[in-house]
């Protein structure tokens, strides 16, 4: 879980304006660093594009991500070892903000997601456990593939990210966090992540450390894309709730 330290340390700096102050770069230097970190933008876009099922073009998402990267460069200054984690926060946040601003999901899809969510809660109550995908599809009267698409649509509605969980943790500190407070943030994240089940931990690690897409994770874990999406959403919701209680 070493990646938690990178996220916690650079995330706290980003939130409280503690990034290095040497942000005055020439246009040529900015262009060089943008080119160097463009693969980071492409990786994040590849992840998010799988979550929104291609509803927004990859080219548009990459353009938004590059603008986020440029903002990160101007706030941070000359990149060093910690810049990658800092830039990931800014790039992912810029893309998610724009997707939410556009309210890209059709109203019919949003309404259907609420119907499916309510039906699954009722089925879970009756079974006393989370239903299998086949059980859920049968209860809803849809095919397995249709149910999986429902799940992906529902997950994409919130698009909660690990970065937002990090922000939730660091905002518990009032003002710039001291080294002791930064350590407590990191410890809290480690404890919360440790409380997840094994599959949830692996999904979180593969998404946010190894930057794999849902489809790639599904192949590794022998699950459907929809199930990976559910595990990611469940894990992040548990982490956020636990940090709010802390």
């Amino acid at each position: 879980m070493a990646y938690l330290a990178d996220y916690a340390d650079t995330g706290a700096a980003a939130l409280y304006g503690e990034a290095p102050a040497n942000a005055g770069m020439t246009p040529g230097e900015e262009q060089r660093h943008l080119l160097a970190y463009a693969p980071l933008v492409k990786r994040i876009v590849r992840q998010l594009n799988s979550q929104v099922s291609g509803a927004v073009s990859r080219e548009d998402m990459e353009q938004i991500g590059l603008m986020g990267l440029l903002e990160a460069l101007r706030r941070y200054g000359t990149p060093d070892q910690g810049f990658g984690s800092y830039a990931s926060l800014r790039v992912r946040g810029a893309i998610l903000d724009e997707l939410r601003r556009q309210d890209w999901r059709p109203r019919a899809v949003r309404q259907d997601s609420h119907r499916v969510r309510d039906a699954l809660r009722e089925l879970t109550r009756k079974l006393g456990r989370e239903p299998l995908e086949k059980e859920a599809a049968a209860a809803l009267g849809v095919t397995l593939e249709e149910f999986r698409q429902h799940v992906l649509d529902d997950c994409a509605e919130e698009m909660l990210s690990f970065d937002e969980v990090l922000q939730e943790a660091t905002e518990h500190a009032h003002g710039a966090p001291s080294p002791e407070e930064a350590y407590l943030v990191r410890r809290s994240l480690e404890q919360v992540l440790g409380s997840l089940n094994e599959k949830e931990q692996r999904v979180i690690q593969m998404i946010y450390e190894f930057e794999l897409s849902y489809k790639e994770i599904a192949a590794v874990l022998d699950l459907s894309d929809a199930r990976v999406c559910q595990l990611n959403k469940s894990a992040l919701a548990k982490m956020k709730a636990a940090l709010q209680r802390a």
Side-chain angles (χ1 to χ4, degrees), residues 82-207:
F83 179 72
S85 295
Y86 177 82
S88 292
L89 286 168
R90 292 289 172 182
V91 170
R92 189 186 299 273
I95 296 171
L96 292 180
D97 285 347
E98 181 62 18
L99 288 170
R100 291 170 180 139
R101 189 188 69 78
Q102 291 185 17
D103 193 21
W104 56 269
R105 299 181 71 232
R107 179 176 297 179
V109 172
R110 292 199 299 271
Q111 291 174 339
D112 206 35
S113 290
H114 292 309
R115 179 186 66 82
V116 171
R117 202 179 306 162
D118 291 341
L120 289 179
R121 273 199 293 264
E122 179 62 20
L123 181 58
T124 300
R125 186 187 64 78
K126 287 181 179 178
L127 295 174
R129 58 172 172 78
E130 185 179 357
L132 302 175
E133 288 183 328
K134 289 182 179 179
E135 293 172 328
L140 291 166
V142 298
T143 67
L144 185 58
E145 286 308 309
E146 287 173 334
F147 170 71
R148 287 172 174 171
Q149 189 57 54
H150 281 312
V151 171
L152 289 170
D153 288 338
D154 188 50
C155 287
E157 182 178 17
E158 294 183 19
M159 292 187 294
L160 182 68
S161 74
F162 183 80
D163 309 320
E164 291 170 302
V165 173
L166 169 63
Q167 181 168 330
E168 188 79 29
T170 52
E171 283 179 348
H172 281 294
H174 301 290
S178 65
E180 292 79 12
E181 288 169 327
Y183 171 76
L184 290 176
V185 168
R186 187 161 59 247
R187 286 291 298 157
S188 294
L189 285 168
E190 288 172 348
Q191 290 170 1
V192 170
L193 187 59
S195 70
L196 303 177
N197 65 45
E198 183 180 354
K199 279 187 178 178
E200 289 170 336
Q201 287 188 34
R202 292 186 69 188
V203 166
I204 290 291
Q205 184 178 34
M206 283 190 275
I207 291 175

Side-chain angles (χ1 to χ4, degrees), residues 50-51 133 145 148-149 151-152 155 203 213-219 222-232:
S50 71
Q51 295 183 38
E133 288 183 328
E145 286 308 309
R148 287 172 174 171
Q149 189 57 54
V151 171
L152 289 170
C155 287
V203 166
S213 67
Y214 284 170
K215 191 172 295 293
E216 290 167 329
I217 297 170
D222 194 24
L223 299 171
S224 68
D225 295 11
R227 183 57 184 152
V228 173
C229 183
Q230 283 182 314
L231 288 167
N232 179 45

